[in-house]
Amino acid sequence: MGGTPPAKPPSTGRVARHQEAVMTHRTIACIFALSLPSLFACSSATSVDEAADPSEACGVDCGPRGGSAGASNMPGVAGFPSKAAGAGASQASKGGSAGSAGAPKASSGGSAGVAGAPKASSGGSAGVAGAPKASSGGGAGVAGAPKASSGGGAGVSQGAAGAASGGGPTPLGPGQARVIGYFAAWSVYGRDYHVSQLPAAQLTHINYAFANVSASGECELGDPYADTDKAYPGDGWEPGQRRGSFHQLELLKQQHPHLRTMISVGGWTWSGRFSDVAATDAGRKKFAASCAAFVEQWGFDGVDVDWEYPVEGGLDTNTTRPEDGHNYTLLLAELRAALDAKGAALGRPLELSIAAPAGPSILKHLELAQLSKSTDFINLMAYDFQGGWSARTGFNAPLYAAADDPSPPSERDTMNIDAAVKAYLAGGVPPGELVVGVPFYGRGWSGVKASSDGLFQQFGGVPQGSFEAGVFDWKDLAANYIPKSTRRFHDGSKVPWLFDAKSGVMISYDDPESMGLKADYIKQKGLGGAMIWELSGDDDQHQLLTALTKVLRP
């Protein structure tokens, strides 16, 4: 490797960013301090756990997508300094594509197993008879309605009950596709980004990252304070009063009835128990029932499973089994049945999706055709193809392979969006169910030689980013880097990069032009839409999101 590898790899990208920055666990004392105004002086009792070389865990394929689990996300907690608004938020690698391309993604904020995190009651209807949903096979135009489990076609009308509750399928007109944005629980801390700021009118789905998997194998709150306790204007403290980001999502759906919300479970940091959960029929039923109950309790419209990853490629501490790939198929079928039964009881269909890797070394373990029989759509973590774990500088999310990339063909030809999409389609996933992930952040390298304007060069390390080392929010780049740098654009890979010869810093990123080209690709291929990791990275004008929606939801 050409650079100093991150202390711990993030998640593979959800494809590749393998363990680059796994961050933290905030202490129980800190959480209680945040929830009690009189104790707001939360001390910086946060441990930053960085770690191992990503390449050791997933080879070419590693990368993180999520923010650092709780990494110094508390107000006043020491963390990476930031050039962007909300300094002090040190979120762990925010952009990895789960198994996506090259680095692992850090998972949700909040320490796993924090005392007092209310666990969703496990009373759902696990094991209720209900075949995996019927394959919808549709193209991009049908990309929003949950598949019917009892043989109904995709896009079956949901009726007034779902619409009244803010649920129901996202209305997709001819030629329109899903636009799914992740909202990270830890955004409410150092980033000072809240649900009320979400550009809901431009989105079809909001995926909330993350819920955790409890020690007993059930879906539970990831950050009890941010999720359900943080008070916003209008909230009360009476018994039973709903607060936190979950309640803010309910209010947002009242303003935007078309919007659907999904609870994302797992992530880079919290995937360690999935293998045990999926290993037995009893474990699968228990987990599925708890997720269905969680959705009902907190007002979500479905579940997004983010297992990073089955068999290999995640944190070294994860439990894994050779049979994880097949067990994942069985777990999703159980979730499908539980969500269908719960949806029937609630009078509104519930959706099921997964965040899926883009890199071939992890992708090979998934039973794609079988998985897609249970999921409504698959979010392809098509970013983190290159990063601080790589041998040289490169592109975070190239649309196509670069002919001038000196990497071995096995890496050069597979570590790009087009190659990943083709692999999923060849594996039996219907085009209309494949949602392409796009990053609202870039990745940087330091100590880069000036040859070829810094592209495909060896490097000495990674520079400080917006909130974590090597990762730059688009809004930070637009405000502080692009005006002072010369932008280059790669005609083959269809993405820009910045290089400052004086400082030796090279940054690969996406801007409105490259985002528009990705949207064109999605539309031309008849794919199911775009997924964003993650929404706080956009600027106040929503330039990146608008570049997507003007093509995908005209």
Side-chain angles (χ1 to χ4, degrees):
M1 290 212 143
T4 303
K8 267 184 188 170
S11 86
T12 63
R14 286 195 141 195
V15 159
R17 33 171 131 171
H18 209 92
Q19 304 172 345
E20 172 187 59
V22 169
M23 295 176 87
T24 110
H25 288 285
R26 59 179 77 114
T27 63
I28 296 174
C30 228
I31 289 180
F32 282 127
L34 281 170
S35 62
L36 297 175
S38 63
L39 298 177
F40 230 99
C42 175
S43 66
S44 62
T46 301
S47 67
V48 176
D49 178 21
E50 298 194 331
D53 178 354
S55 65
E56 296 175 358
C58 55
V60 172
D61 259 344
C62 16
R65 167 201 107 182
S68 84
S72 302
N73 281 339
M74 300 296 190
V77 173
F80 292 118
S82 167
K83 298 185 183 77
S90 131
Q91 187 182 324
S93 91
K94 137 194 146 179
S97 69
S100 95
K105 106 191 154 174
S107 116
S108 91
S111 54
V114 170
K119 203 187 336 182
S121 102
S122 62
S125 33
V128 174
K133 67 174 182 188
S135 157
S136 73
V142 297
K147 289 182 190 172
S149 69
S150 58
V156 172
S157 172
Q158 290 190 154
S165 65
T170 304
L172 298 179
Q176 290 188 326
R178 302 175 188 85
V179 178
I180 301 165
Y182 276 87
F183 176 83
W186 55 89
S187 295
V188 304
Y189 298 118
R191 289 175 174 269
D192 195 22
Y193 186 73
H194 305 270
V195 169
S196 61
Q197 297 169 253
L198 293 171
Q202 294 178 270
L203 302 168
T204 62
H205 296 68
I206 294 172
N207 285 8
Y208 188 95
F210 297 97
N212 197 1
V213 181
S214 73
S216 61
E218 296 175 288
C219 183
E220 70 174 0
L221 294 175
D223 182 338
Y225 172 73
D227 298 347
T228 64
D229 194 35
K230 179 176 171 62
Y232 288 91
D235 289 348
W237 294 95
E238 299 79 11
Q241 172 71 51
R242 295 172 86 91
R243 293 185 298 276
S245 293
F246 285 7
H247 181 50
Q248 292 296 301
L249 286 173
E250 292 179 309
L251 296 177
L252 191 67
K253 286 198 293 181
Q254 290 176 14
Q255 300 171 31
H256 302 277
H258 77 281
L259 190 65
R260 292 179 67 77
T261 57
M262 309 279 282
I263 183 65
S264 294
V265 186
W268 177 248
T269 303
W270 289 342
S271 286
R273 294 172 176 143
F274 275 122
S275 182
D276 288 341
V277 163
T280 66
D281 183 64
R284 294 189 290 266
K285 282 181 165 58
K286 183 178 184 180
F287 178 74
S290 73
C291 289
F294 190 104
V295 164
E296 178 182 19
Q297 180 179 3
W298 300 112
F300 286 95
D301 301 304
V303 174
D304 174 58
V305 180
D306 186 1
W307 181 351
E308 301 183 32
Y309 302 95
V311 184
E312 62 178 322
L315 289 173
D316 291 340
T317 54
N318 289 357
T319 297
T320 59
R321 294 173 172 80
E323 60 271 25
D324 280 347
H326 179 63
N327 289 343
Y328 197 10
T329 301
L330 298 177
L331 178 64
L332 291 173
E334 200 64 57
L335 276 164
R336 177 81 267 159
L339 290 174
D340 285 347
K342 181 63 70 177
L346 296 175
R348 56 188 180 93
L350 300 174
E351 291 183 292
L352 175 62
S353 65
I354 63 170
S361 69
I362 300 174
L363 174 59
K364 67 185 180 183
H365 299 299
L366 302 183
E367 299 173 344
L368 295 178
Q370 289 80 6
L371 288 178
S372 65
K373 292 177 181 178
S374 295
T375 57
D376 291 285
F377 50 93
I378 292 173
N379 296 312
L380 177 60
M381 295 184 285
Y383 33 77
D384 296 333
F385 285 101
Q386 303 294 337
W389 56 90
S390 304
R392 57 183 60 83
T393 65
F395 293 127
N396 180 40
L399 187 53
Y400 299 103
D404 53 337
D405 183 351
S407 302
S410 60
E411 178 179 347
R412 180 192 64 218
D413 297 340
T414 60
M415 302 299 278
N416 60 82
I417 293 172
D418 182 57
V421 167
K422 287 177 177 175
Y424 273 79
L425 298 182
V429 176
E433 295 179 25
L434 186 60
V435 177
V436 177
V438 297
F440 278 14
Y441 65 91
R443 285 197 168 272
W445 297 262
S446 59
V448 180
K449 295 180 180 178
S451 300
S452 301
D453 291 326
L455 182 61
F456 303 134
Q457 302 301 308
Q458 292 187 335
F459 59 95
V462 294
Q464 177 54 50
S466 303
F467 290 89
E468 59 189 281
V471 180
F472 298 82
D473 285 0
W474 156 252
K475 63 187 175 188
D476 187 16
L477 291 171
N480 301 308
Y481 293 84
I482 294 173
K484 305 172 185 177
S485 307
T486 300
R487 172 187 182 271
R488 283 84 170 173
F489 192 86
H490 196 283
D491 288 333
S493 293
K494 306 300 182 188
V495 285
W497 81 96
L498 303 174
F499 180 64
D500 182 352
K502 190 172 185 180
S503 65
V505 170
M506 182 271 196
I507 301 174
S508 168
Y509 68 105
D510 274 277
D511 63 8
E513 180 184 0
S514 64
M515 203 61 73
L517 291 170
K518 286 178 167 68
D520 288 338
Y521 175 91
I522 291 167
K523 187 170 184 177
Q524 291 163 7
K525 297 285 186 181
L527 303 179
M531 171 272 282
I532 297 150
W533 182 267
E534 44 86 17
L535 291 165
S536 73
D538 209 353
D539 56 40
D540 291 341
Q541 293 73 43
H542 310 301
Q543 289 191 74
L544 296 187
L545 178 59
T546 299
L548 291 171
T549 57
K550 71 181 182 182
V551 175
L552 299 177
R553 293 185 64 78

